[in-house]
Structures are given as structure tokens and as C-alpha cells.
Amino acid sequence: MTWSETQPLLSQASWDTLYMVGWSTLFAVVGGLPLGLLLVLTDRGGLLQNLPANKVLGQVVNVARSMPFIILMVALMTFTRSITGTTIGREAAIVPLAIGAVPFFARLVETAVREVDGGLVEAVQSMGGNTWTVVRKVLVPESLPSLISSTTTTIVALIGYSAMAGTVGAGGLGDIAIRYGYQRFETQLMWITVAILAVVISVIQFAGDFAARSLHRRGGRSGPAPRLRLLRAEEPAAAAVDKVA
Amino acid sequence: MITTSGLTKIYRADRSRGREVTALDGVDLHVREGEVYGVIGQSGAGKSSLIRCINLLERPTSGTVTVAGQDLTALAGRGPRAGKELRRARSRIGMVFQHFNLLSTRTVQDNVELPLEILGTTGRDRSRKALELLDLVGLADKAGAYPAQLSGGQKQRVGIARALAGDPKVLLSDEATSALDPETTRSILQLLRDLNRQLGLTVLLITHEMDVVKSVCDSAALMERGRIVESGTVGELLATPGSELASALFPVGGDASGPDRTVVDVTFHGEAATQPVVSQLARTYNIDISILGAAVDTVGGLQVGRMRIELPGRYEDNVVPIGFLREKGLQIDLVDNPADPAVPAVPAGPAAQALLVKEGAK
Ligand SMILES: Nc1ncnc2c1ncn2[C@@H]1O[C@H](COP(=O)(O)OP(=O)(O)O)[C@@H](O)[C@H]1O
Ligand SMILES: [Mg+2]
């Protein structure tokens, strides 16, 4: 195949991948964030403690998360058709991708939110804050660096899943790699798609890490202050910190 | 200002097996308006449970909590979640924490504004109030810094400024200085004292350090295994024979020089302090008195002297001289003499000591 033949193929495939991954990430975050928060809040000692609900949610998330994507895609076909009117194509692939990614992201959110110091929750309660205040002012902002990392992880996982969506005619880079590389032995084309995927994943990973780190540095524990405790009195130490900061 | 009656808290570690921890066991506490009240006790005594029950962060199992005339336990409702009324009441009680509990993603000023956001104060008023409070705690220049850039003492000042944002009448402090070095501890305690005087703030502070009580408290209570075993103003405590708190607040050392000696602690306050009692005692009864230890100190703003003296002979031989000291208006605490095998080893506790004194007095 010549470049003039492969170039439109590759750009269409890249666009399809980004389209599927973009939308399903959006749904994963919109659905997974509240679900992950609920997993924490309804647990023992949580602000909305409700153990039966917590058990049910946890079980649903576990089952959905351990389901192989390809099976999820097949199992959801009727549901997909009822939403998009078809079971083939990019739009149809977004449905199982999003549904697979919601529990995946929810577990990551749960882990991130559990890391938040309970003392902060208590502080807001002592000020008269309600559960919603705690979520908005403490749980989400304080776990934001981890939430961003979780989003990055989810995007990368979705890129992987989206390759399988090619089997329902959704297109995308994975589809190219399989159809041309595996079935037609167009090795060169396959390597190009692998390279594109590698670049895309690296860029997303880098951007995500950068965003998480810069947020973390702003407020987080990795600030320069604790290293400067050689000075005894409080005020000179503070002055030294000022210079660094 | 703060009254608890019969406050009991039982933690059920495991509902199915019914393992229970009684953290508070019928606590009656009374904190007067405008005073600094210290609750001291060892780790696990139930101090944190007590303070957390006062703003109902922890639901008491039974008993009532009244703050500023409002029965908070009645506001609590039955469910686990705090209703609107209770949340309003909480916003009028400031709370300071051992580990500061500042939001790491917010600047110092935004941390102080947080309670005001919850109260629904508008933007301009919020920042004005926050800057005012930061000025009050001596951190006006740190408004834009993040907590990670502050020292421990500065973080606690932010914590205090934040606690004051809702114009509370009452400040609760759970080991606010326990994570700080001695020098910083002093400056934070001084700040609490100043706020107490300037704003008429009632402060209930919890600590495991006697020095904290000694330097700032008007009143104190000793907690052991979920109960308050002693309480009162510092003056009252010092005047209570056998008070464990008093002897911890104001210790004198010195051991008996041998068996067959009577050791007593003599506490002077008020007028008694000016009389030459020891020489009078020696002259009147013609006995040799050794001074084992002595100190003069200021506790809770009161000048107090304490002396540990040794008289020859057993307690039975010294009933009359000790009676003489009592008549002079001095407070006498009998100290066990471990070198004296004739006296059975009495477990050292306030109750046991008091018993000994009473029996001796018969
Ligand atoms: N949330 C809890 N669940 C179960 N037991 C608790 C809980 N909080 C405290 N306790 C227990 O209650 C007792 C008193 O604890 P606490 O009030 O923290 O004491 P202190 O602050 O004096 O150290 C301890 O035995 C502790 O283990
Ligand atoms: Mg404690």
C-alpha cells in the first residue's frame, strides 16, 4: 500500500479512536465519580453509612469490572441498540466502553477518596458543614491529584478496550492493526499504528502526570517546608521558607 | 457555658459479637462562661470522646450536652446525620485539632474562609473577616501561603483563626499543642489565653500534659477510664487534701530519710503563707524538722507554696503537731513512707491517701 492510500485510513482511524475514548471517558467520569464517592460514603463509618447499599454497589462494581470487555460488548447489544439504534459503529461502541469504564473508574475514585484524611471531614463537620459540603470542599478537591491520575489510567485502559470495539465495526487504530496487520500481513501499517498508539498513550500519560504533579506541588505534602527544620525558632524558619517559596 | 450530665459513650466495636468499649461513663462537666477549662488524662481515658460528644461529632449513648443554654442532644435527632439545627449550633462552636486539619489545596486565607463559605457569607465580607482573623493570630503576612509552607505553630494559628470565623462563644481544643515543641506550645497557649481574655471566649481544652493546665487553665478536671475523678477551679483543687491533680500541678519531691519518720506535704496559700509555721512548730513541740523539698510557684494565677517536711516518729506520735499545722490553716497531705516497713504499702491513689488521713485524724 502506498502512503496516499494509508494516510486517510490512519487519520480516520486515529480520529475514531479519539472519538470513542473521549466520549466514553466523559461518561466514565460523570458516572464513576459519584459511584466511587457513594462507595466510600455508604461504607461503615461513612457520612451516609448504609451497609446493605454499600454491599450491593460493591458487588455490582466488582462483577462489571471483572467482566471481559468483549463479553460485556456482546451482552449489552440489545441495550446498545435501544440507545443508539444500532449495534455497529463508533456510537454503538461507546455504550459498552462507557459501561465498562464506569466501575473501573469508580474503584479508582474510591481508593483516591479513602486516602483523604478523616480529620478534614471532621473539621468541616465541626463548622456545621453537611455531607454535600464535605464532598465539594474536602473529598473532591483534596483527592484531585489522585483523581486526575485515575482519569489518565482510565483513558489508557479505554484505548486498549477500544481496539476490541473494532470487531463491531467501530473502526479505530486497533481495528487497523488487526485487519491489516494480522489478517492481511501488512506489517508496516501495523507498526505505524503501534507507533501512533504509543505516542498517543505517552502524551496522555505525560499530560496527566504533569497536571497531577503540579496540583500536588501547589498544596501537597511535597512542599519544601519540612526539610528546613534546622532552625530552632519558629519565625526565622518561616522566613527561610518564604525565600524558598 | 458547657454542661454535660450523665454523658455516656459506648463504642460497639463489633455489633454481632457485642464487644464494647465504654469511653465515657457518666460524665458531669460544668464549664463556666469565660473560663479556660482543662481536661487532663492519660491516653485512652476518653478525653477525645468527651470533646467530640460536646459538639456531637460523636453521638453520646446517653446523657445530655448543653452549650450556651441550648440542649444539643435534643437537636441531634435520631438518624446518624446531623440536621440543620445541629449544624447551625456547631457553627457557633469553634474547634481546634491536634493535627490542624487544614485543607492542603487551599491557601491560608481560603482555609479561614471555609467556615464562612459554609455559613453563606458573601465574598467580600469573607475575605475581610479572614484577613482580620489572620491579623488577630499574627499571620497577616501568610494569607497567600499554602499550609505545607508553614511551621507547626503557624498551622495551628491558622486552625485557631479558622475556628474563630463563625464568632463562636466556645472553643474546643483537642490536644492542640501536642504536636508542637515546647516553645511553640507556650506561644499557642498564650494566644488561647489572650483570645479568652480579649473576646471573652470560653475555652475547653483537652491535654495529656500537666504543663498546659498549669499555664493557662482556670479550672481543671482529671479523667480516668471514662470518668471525671477530680474537678474544680485550680484554687479549689490545690486546697483539696490528697488531690492528685494538685500534687501533679505542683509537685514537691524528697524521700523519707529512714523508717519511723512521718512525711507530710504542707501547702501554703493566702495568709498562711506569711506565718513562720515551721519554726513555731519546732519550738512549740521541741521536735527536729527536716525539710525534704520545697517550691513556690504560680498556678492558674495563684501564688502557692508547698513544702515536704519530715517529723521524727510514726504518724501516731505526730498527731498533735500535725493538728497544730492544720489549725494554722495549712493544708496537710500525709505521704507514704516506703522506708517504713511497719506501714503497710498502701496503693498510692487519692482515695487511699484521703482514707489514711481521715483514719489518722480519728
Ligand atoms: N471510634 C471508636 N470506635 C471504638 N472505640 C473507640 C473509638 N474512639 C475511641 N475509642 C476507644 O475509646 C476509649 C477512649 O478513647 P479517646 O476518647 O480517644 O481517649 P483519649 O482522647 O483520652 O486518648 C479508648 O479505649 C479508645 O480505644
Ligand atoms: Mg485523644
Side-chain angles (χ1 to χ4, degrees):
Chain A
M1 284 173 90
T2 62
W3 179 244
S4 58
E5 283 175 311
T6 50
Q7 195 269 335
L9 205 61
L10 284 172
S11 52
Q12 180 62 40
S14 302
W15 171 242
D16 288 343
T17 296
L18 289 181
Y19 182 87
M20 287 187 287
V21 171
W23 279 108
S24 48
T25 301
L26 185 68
F27 288 124
V29 170
V30 168
L33 185 60
L35 185 55
L37 284 164
L38 277 178
L39 283 170
V40 180
L41 293 172
T42 56
D43 201 4
R44 189 183 298 280
L47 295 179
L48 302 175
Q49 179 174 321
N50 183 338
L51 297 180
N54 185 263
K55 271 248 153 56
V56 170
L57 281 181
Q59 205 57 40
V60 168
V61 165
N62 276 345
V63 169
R65 212 162 72 87
S66 51
M67 191 72 69
F69 177 69
I70 196 113
I71 293 178
L72 194 67
M73 203 162 56
V74 176
L76 285 173
M77 275 196 173
T78 18
F79 180 63
T80 303
R81 183 178 294 122
S82 74
I83 289 181
T84 62
T86 172
T87 57
I88 304 176
R90 299 188 308 187
E91 278 75 16
I94 289 171
V95 175
L97 281 175
I99 287 174
V102 164
F104 182 87
F105 187 65
R107 278 286 180 220
L108 295 176
V109 170
E110 184 193 1
T111 312
V113 171
R114 276 192 203 284
E115 292 282 301
V116 175
D117 182 359
L120 301 179
V121 174
E122 200 152 272
V124 168
Q125 284 183 293
S126 79
M127 295 167 199
N130 59 19
T131 306
W132 178 232
T133 318
V134 170
V135 168
R136 244 172 357 130
K137 308 275 181 185
V138 180
L139 299 182
V140 171
E142 287 291 311
S143 61
L144 198 56
S146 303
L147 292 178
I148 289 176
S149 299
S150 307
T151 310
T152 313
T153 308
T154 304
I155 294 174
V156 171
L158 278 171
I159 291 175
Y161 289 155
S162 74
M164 281 182 258
T167 51
V168 293
L173 289 165
D175 182 40
I176 299 267
I178 291 168
R179 269 196 295 144
Y180 291 84
Y182 182 66
Q183 292 166 353
R184 297 196 203 164
F185 302 104
E186 295 269 2
T187 319
Q188 199 189 356
L189 187 56
M190 187 193 70
W191 281 117
I192 294 172
T193 57
V194 169
I196 293 174
L197 280 172
V199 168
V200 168
I201 289 170
S202 303
V203 166
I204 287 167
Q205 194 74 57
F206 177 81
D209 288 352
F210 180 78
R213 205 145 9 94
S214 59
L215 271 178
H216 210 81
R217 193 166 26 226
R218 194 183 66 180
R221 289 131 281 219
S222 51
R227 297 270 156 255
L228 288 168
R229 282 296 151 68
L230 298 171
L231 300 163
R232 204 161 358 111
E234 207 186 320
E235 304 314 322
V241 169
D242 268 350
K243 263 177 237 140
V244 174
Chain B
M1 196 65 175
I2 304 174
T3 304
T4 73
S5 60
L7 198 63
T8 300
K9 176 70 195 182
I10 299 171
Y11 293 107
R12 291 191 173 77
D14 190 330
R15 275 182 311 169
S16 51
R17 261 179 297 155
R19 266 212 347 249
E20 294 182 344
V21 180
T22 306
L24 297 177
D25 188 3
V27 171
D28 298 318
L29 187 75
H30 184 68
V31 181
R32 277 185 295 256
E33 183 164 0
E35 73 174 342
V36 180
Y37 195 109
V39 175
I40 188 160
Q42 291 183 339
S43 174
K47 308 182 296 297
S48 294
S49 301
L50 173 62
I51 207 161
R52 290 158 48 80
C53 277
I54 285 174
N55 61 2
L56 266 83
L57 282 179
E58 204 72 73
R59 243 2 116 82
T61 310
S62 64
T64 58
V65 176
T66 311
V67 178
Q70 196 173 25
D71 183 351
L72 298 189
T73 28
L75 295 183
R78 233 168 295 120
R81 285 162 65 190
K84 200 166 178 187
E85 294 275 302
L86 177 58
R87 281 187 276 116
R88 280 197 71 79
R90 274 181 186 161
S91 72
R92 290 191 293 264
I93 302 174
M95 192 166 192
V96 189
F97 304 87
Q98 179 176 2
H99 298 294
F100 324 123
N101 294 351
L102 303 177
L103 298 187
S104 67
T105 49
R106 284 177 170 238
T107 61
V108 164
Q109 182 179 344
D110 289 346
N111 264 288
V112 178
E113 285 189 23
L114 181 57
L116 298 168
E117 288 170 26
I118 292 171
L119 286 172
T121 315
T122 56
R124 177 109 44 87
D125 290 344
R126 274 208 310 266
S127 59
R128 191 180 41 78
K129 178 90 193 185
L131 292 172
E132 239 172 64
L133 287 166
L134 285 173
D135 198 32
L136 188 65
V137 300
L139 281 181
D141 55 329
K142 290 276 181 267
Y146 284 92
Q149 300 165 329
L150 303 181
S151 69
Q154 291 172 328
K155 283 183 198 166
Q156 197 56 288
R157 282 168 188 270
V158 179
I160 291 170
R162 181 179 69 177
L164 296 176
D167 290 324
K169 289 250 170 58
V170 174
L171 188 70
L172 306 177
S173 153
D174 189 357
E175 307 265 10
T177 58
S178 299
L180 305 174
D181 60 71
E183 205 172 315
T184 315
T185 294
R186 265 194 295 283
S187 79
I188 293 292
L189 291 175
Q190 188 58 47
L191 174 64
L192 288 178
R193 194 51 167 163
D194 291 346
L195 293 170
N196 158 257
R197 298 232 165 99
Q198 279 174 33
L199 310 175
L201 194 66
T202 306
V203 181
L204 173 61
L205 63 84
I206 289 233
T207 182
H208 65 272
E209 295 168 313
M210 201 49 89
D211 274 347
V212 170
V213 174
K214 194 165 165 173
S215 56
V216 293
C217 293
D218 300 306
S219 298
L222 175 65
M223 242 184 133
E224 272 172 21
R225 272 177 261 115
R227 296 187 186 183
I228 288 188
V229 292
E230 279 182 28
S231 67
T233 65
V234 170
E236 285 164 7
L237 288 169
L238 288 173
T240 307
S243 162
E244 216 172 300
L245 259 181
S247 53
L249 279 171
F250 191 21
V252 276
D255 290 327
S257 57
D260 283 343
R261 301 278 198 280
T262 303
V263 179
V264 291
D265 283 345
V266 184
T267 307
F268 307 82
H269 27 205
E271 278 185 22
T274 56
Q275 296 175 26
V277 278
V278 174
S279 59
Q280 281 177 9
L281 183 68
R283 242 180 296 125
T284 315
Y285 298 98
N286 196 24
I287 48 174
D288 294 323
I289 299 168
S290 329
I291 295 173
L292 301 175
V296 178
D297 204 344
T298 308
V299 179
L302 297 170
Q303 182 97 48
V304 188
R306 196 170 245 194
M307 189 189 286
R308 176 166 288 191
I309 59 175
E310 186 186 65
L311 309 171
R314 303 263 190 85
Y315 180 78
E316 299 87 80
D317 312 324
N318 286 304
V319 174
V320 178
I322 289 174
F324 169 83
L325 291 175
R326 287 222 170 87
E327 257 166 45
K328 290 284 172 191
L330 300 175
Q331 180 192 321
I332 307 299
D333 292 311
L334 199 63
V335 181
D336 294 335
N337 182 353
D340 197 342
V343 176
V346 183
Q353 270 188 19
L355 200 71
L356 205 64
V357 172
K358 264 186 230 139
E359 275 178 356
K362 272 179 208 163

